[in-house]
């Protein structure tokens, strides 16, 4: 796979002229999703990720893990002004009106391949969403992914369910920031929305550093696989 990726990358960058090819119906760069701002480099990386899922081979999860050990996994975050200049991002315009007001700070939705979420902290063109987790023993702030809440917890470790071309896999996010492809966790107690307590709302306020990024805060109870009980997490919501 490494040799194939190098060949495709070299071939693409070395092309003397650009002719219309079938994939250009969706995007001029092969592997890039429709309507996204996406470089040739990111298109090739994403194409390999998608190809693993579409290949229908045995143990595709192991192949995703192997790929992720080199290139990371695709994760959803928020983009700030200037994100368009970052060739490591796949970018879409945000559908939220509050993100597209010319008089306010503008935001986009982005995907980036990463091995560790904390390695992206401090990037001037990215925003990593924050959450408050409250369980039986403590309350703490955590980095989370844009979009859906985790499907389950194991202490402070978060588990998401992700999908690529019909292949579902689990994504583990540790407090260290490490991201790991895992089996989809087996749970019988699913997340459900609950009323946020005054305490958790107050603790979320300092984390909301961009005035027009979120319109409000919502909370979910999420099952902890260690304690066989629910913990509450608070998240910002933008427009949907």
């Amino acid at each position: 796979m490494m040799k194939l990726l190098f060949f495709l990358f070299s071939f693409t960058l070395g092309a003397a002229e650009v002719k219309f090819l079938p994939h250009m119906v969706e995007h001029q760069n092969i592997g890039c999703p429709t309507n996204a701002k996406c470089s040739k480099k990111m298109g090739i990386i994403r194409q390999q990720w998608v190809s693993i899922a579409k290949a229908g081979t045995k143990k595709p999860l192991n192949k995703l893990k192997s790929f992720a050990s080199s290139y990371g996994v695709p994760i959803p975050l928020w983009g700030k002004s200037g994100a368009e200049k970052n060739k490591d991002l796949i970018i879409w315009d945000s559908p939220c009106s509050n993100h597209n007001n010319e008089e306010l700070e503008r935001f986009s939705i982005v995907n980036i391949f990463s091995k560790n979420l904390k390695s992206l902290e401090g990037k001037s063109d990215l925003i990593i969403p924050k959450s408050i987790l409250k369980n039986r023993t403590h309350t703490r702030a955590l980095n989370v992914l844009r979009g859906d809440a985790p499907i389950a917890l194991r202490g402070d470790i978060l588990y998401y369910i992700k999908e690529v071309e019909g292949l579902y896999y689990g994504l583990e996010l540790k407090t260290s920031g490490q991201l790991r492809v895992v089996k989809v966790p087996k749970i019988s107690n699913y997340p459900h929305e609950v009323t946020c307590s005054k305490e958790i709302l107050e603790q979320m306020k300092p984390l909301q550093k961009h005035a027009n990024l979120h319109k409000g805060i919502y909370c979910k109870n999420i099952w902890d696989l260690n304690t066989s009980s629910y913990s509450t997490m608070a998240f910002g919501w933008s427009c949907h």
Side-chain angles (χ1 to χ4, degrees):
M1 182 181 296
M2 292 286 289
K3 291 182 179 178
L4 176 61
L5 184 58
F6 178 78
F7 170 77
L8 286 172
F9 188 68
S10 299
F11 176 81
T12 305
L13 295 187
E17 59 181 278
V18 177
K19 297 181 180 180
F20 183 82
L21 298 172
H23 74 266
M24 292 180 178
V25 173
E26 295 185 352
H27 200 286
Q28 66 177 6
N29 294 328
I30 189 168
C32 287
T34 304
N35 297 325
K37 296 164 187 162
C38 171
S39 66
K40 291 180 180 180
K41 169 188 170 183
M42 291 314 302
I44 293 170
I45 292 174
R46 180 179 177 273
Q47 179 71 9
Q48 295 303 304
W49 180 260
V50 170
S51 295
I52 293 171
K54 294 174 71 174
T57 56
K58 292 182 178 180
K59 299 183 178 180
L61 195 65
N62 288 342
K63 294 183 181 296
L64 286 182
K65 288 179 180 179
S66 177
F67 185 91
S69 68
S70 296
Y71 299 99
V73 295
I75 56 171
L77 301 174
W78 292 108
K80 297 172 65 178
S81 297
E84 291 82 1
K85 298 177 182 178
N86 189 338
K87 300 302 182 182
D88 291 331
L89 300 179
I90 299 173
I91 308 169
W92 294 265
D93 292 334
S94 171
C96 302
S97 60
N98 47 306
H99 295 166
N100 296 288
N101 188 321
E102 294 183 358
E103 297 180 358
L104 301 172
E105 188 175 9
R106 296 175 66 87
F107 303 103
S108 55
I109 57 178
V110 305
N111 274 15
I112 184 171
F113 279 78
S114 178
K115 300 178 189 178
N116 191 298
L117 189 58
K118 279 202 171 181
S119 69
L120 304 175
E121 287 184 338
K123 299 285 186 181
S124 60
D125 52 2
L126 290 176
I127 299 173
I128 300 173
K130 305 289 185 181
S131 173
I132 292 292
L133 167 64
K134 180 176 176 57
N135 59 25
R136 291 177 175 179
T137 60
H138 65 271
T139 302
R140 65 175 299 170
L142 295 175
N143 287 334
V144 293
L145 304 182
R146 173 182 53 77
D148 294 337
I151 192 69
L153 310 170
R154 194 179 294 278
D156 293 339
I157 299 174
L158 311 181
Y159 291 93
Y160 294 86
I161 293 180
K162 296 296 180 182
E163 180 268 342
V164 53
E165 294 294 329
L167 174 64
Y168 289 87
Y169 62 95
L171 181 59
E172 178 187 83
L173 172 56
K174 295 184 176 181
T175 52
S176 65
Q178 181 184 1
L179 293 155
R180 193 164 68 99
V181 173
V182 297
K183 289 183 178 179
V184 174
K186 294 181 180 179
I187 62 169
S188 54
N189 299 278
Y190 290 90
H192 57 270
E193 197 159 337
V194 295
T195 302
C196 297
S197 67
K198 290 183 179 179
E199 176 188 7
I200 208 167
L201 289 173
E202 286 299 316
Q203 291 170 326
M204 276 290 286
K205 284 181 180 179
L207 304 181
Q208 306 293 295
K209 296 181 179 181
H210 302 275
N212 59 310
L213 178 60
H214 295 128
K215 283 189 171 182
I217 297 168
Y218 72 98
C219 291
K220 280 192 171 184
N221 275 351
I222 300 174
W223 191 252
D224 190 320
L225 299 171
N226 277 352
T227 62
S228 296
S229 63
Y230 278 110
S231 295
T232 302
M233 292 189 72
F235 308 90
W237 65 270
S238 293
C239 66
H240 50 76

